[in-house]
Amino acid sequence: MLNIFSLANGRLFQEEIESLEELSNFQPIWVDLESPTLEEKRWVKQYYGLSIPEDAMDEDIEESARFYKEDNGELHIRSDFLVADDDEPHTVRVAFILNLENDELKSKGVLFSIHDEDVPVFRLIRMRARRAPGLIEDAKEVLLKLFDADAEYSADTLEGIYDELEKVSSKVLSGNMTDELAGEVLAAIARHEDMSGRIRRNVMDTRRAVSFMMRSKMLNGEQFEEARQILRDMDSLDSHTAFLFDKINFLMDATVGFININQNKIIKIFSVASVALLPPTLIASVYGMNLKFPELEFLGGWSYPYTVTLMVASALVPMWYFRKRGWLT
């Protein structure tokens, strides 16, 4: 899908392009290619003189491979954007190309973005730019607003994680932790820990991209100050993710502790039962020997009830003692 965005009365308007001829009807500041076909890439190259690299969305992590400037003046930025899906959270690699120097190409002043799937941050910026006139003035502003919205999206996701952890915390601290509930709590904690890790990685990546824009001297004074504010927001998110990691570790330790307590209760019951059954076992072993016992001969036909009663009493007395001491609870 090839979408172009142009400014009209300070607002951002979107058009979906279905042929090469339609490109000549607009003067966009942003060209967005979502899962572009070979034909759409050919249109961009033919009209704008822009060649999209084959490895534009590769998973390279070296800064030299993700943030660089071509000899023809094109700036290349590859950044990851978070998709906080409940079922399958992940990040989407987006490649940005921006020509600010080469006057010979129609791509000058146009931001090109290439990605494989729709990104929530992109939808947010499109909606805001349509409703708020003057929000975006040029292609550099589009890129800054995308990174700013990415920081805001990460912050909203962190707030959602905190709210969910509050629910988990109430379950853990209720004191009624069954094994089934402990399994649910551990699964929820693992999901939130994974999402927090993704957010921290996303924040780090966005910080690198914004820092590259500042170092490249492509921003004017107002945009440079906006980039510095984005970095300050990123720093605040770092401290918040650190707090969430501490809370997650606490809930994890507390849940594992309750599991250990439940297991100890089971082991204690088996231990008490084994100790309580030792006297009856001893009595049965003694009277089970092939010997003549005077007391049994004296009791005559009452010898069997005597031994059974003695074994039952020897089991009940320890159980009564253990219960009185509170060892059975």
Side-chain angles (χ1 to χ4, degrees):
M1 184 183 299
L2 196 158
N3 293 298
I4 64 171
F5 299 87
S6 56
L7 285 176
N9 298 323
R11 300 176 186 270
L12 196 67
F13 287 90
Q14 176 180 353
E15 295 288 343
E16 185 174 340
I17 301 301
E18 298 182 354
S19 66
L20 175 61
E21 290 73 19
E22 293 183 21
L23 287 176
S24 60
N25 299 329
F26 304 96
Q27 293 181 343
I29 63 169
W30 179 18
V31 176
D32 183 48
L33 296 94
E34 179 183 340
S35 298
T37 63
L38 293 177
E39 186 179 23
E40 290 170 342
K41 291 181 179 180
R42 182 177 56 81
W43 296 346
V44 170
K45 182 177 182 180
Q46 185 173 343
Y47 185 78
Y48 292 105
L50 179 73
S51 297
I52 300 175
E54 293 296 330
D55 60 346
M57 289 171 286
D58 282 357
E59 296 296 326
D60 295 323
I61 62 174
E62 296 84 1
E63 186 166 357
S64 60
R66 299 182 63 177
F67 313 103
Y68 60 93
K69 185 176 181 180
E70 291 281 13
D71 295 335
N72 59 4
E74 291 177 354
L75 291 173
H76 290 251
I77 298 176
R78 300 177 187 177
S79 185
D80 296 330
F81 287 80
L82 181 67
V83 179
D85 185 72
D86 292 335
D87 298 327
E88 189 180 352
H90 59 283
T91 55
V92 177
R93 173 64 53 84
V94 180
F96 296 103
I97 304 175
L98 180 59
N99 171 25
L100 297 175
E101 300 178 4
N102 196 336
D103 296 324
E104 298 178 358
L105 299 177
K106 295 180 180 180
S107 62
K108 183 181 180 182
V110 180
L111 174 67
F112 295 86
S113 57
I114 307 98
H115 49 99
D116 290 330
E117 61 180 277
D118 193 19
V119 181
V121 169
F122 283 43
R123 295 196 301 267
L124 178 63
I125 288 299
R126 293 196 296 262
M127 180 183 66
R128 288 180 176 177
R130 285 197 299 265
R131 297 179 178 178
L135 179 68
I136 293 176
E137 298 178 355
D138 56 21
K140 295 179 294 182
E141 195 78 30
V142 173
L143 192 54
L144 273 179
K145 293 299 182 184
L146 286 173
F147 289 133
D148 187 25
D150 189 38
E152 183 180 346
Y153 183 77
S154 297
D156 292 341
T157 306
L158 283 174
E159 291 178 0
I161 293 175
Y162 181 80
D163 293 339
E164 292 297 324
L165 285 177
E166 284 295 304
K167 299 177 183 178
V168 173
S169 179
S170 63
K171 294 180 181 178
V172 173
L173 301 180
S174 64
N176 187 23
M177 180 63 68
T178 62
D179 291 343
E180 182 179 359
L181 181 58
E184 296 177 0
V185 168
L186 288 176
I189 292 175
R191 289 195 303 270
H192 298 322
E193 195 278 338
D194 176 69
M195 181 64 76
S196 298
R198 292 180 184 276
I199 292 174
R200 171 166 286 189
R201 180 181 180 275
N202 185 68
V203 167
M204 179 184 66
D205 182 82
T206 303
R207 181 187 290 111
R208 293 170 62 191
V210 175
S211 298
F212 172 76
M213 293 178 65
M214 297 173 69
R215 293 195 307 270
S216 64
K217 300 179 181 180
M218 59 182 285
L219 306 176
N220 57 37
E222 184 177 349
Q223 292 171 343
F224 191 86
E225 182 58 33
E226 184 177 356
R228 291 180 61 185
Q229 181 59 47
I230 294 174
L231 292 181
R232 286 193 288 268
D233 292 340
M234 294 295 175
D235 292 337
S236 66
L237 290 182
D238 279 340
S239 60
H240 197 62
T241 52
F243 165 74
L244 285 182
F245 276 120
D246 290 339
K247 187 174 182 66
I248 287 172
N249 289 332
F250 164 73
L251 292 175
M252 182 75 73
D253 293 340
T255 304
V256 173
F258 280 118
I259 292 175
N260 292 333
I261 290 174
N262 291 339
Q263 291 177 345
N264 290 338
K265 287 180 179 179
I266 297 173
I267 295 175
K268 182 172 68 174
I269 291 174
F270 279 105
S271 300
V272 169
S274 61
V275 171
L277 292 176
L278 282 177
T281 304
L282 177 61
I283 294 171
S285 300
V286 171
Y287 287 117
M289 293 187 294
N290 189 19
L291 297 173
K292 291 183 179 181
F293 296 94
E295 65 272 18
L296 297 183
E297 294 180 355
F298 174 76
L299 291 173
W302 293 93
S303 59
Y304 174 72
Y306 164 75
T307 55
V308 171
T309 303
L310 188 60
M311 286 189 292
V312 172
S314 64
L316 292 178
V317 170
M319 294 294 290
W320 170 81
Y321 179 77
F322 294 155
R323 185 176 182 85
K324 184 178 179 180
R325 295 297 299 270
W327 294 350
L328 295 178
T329 57

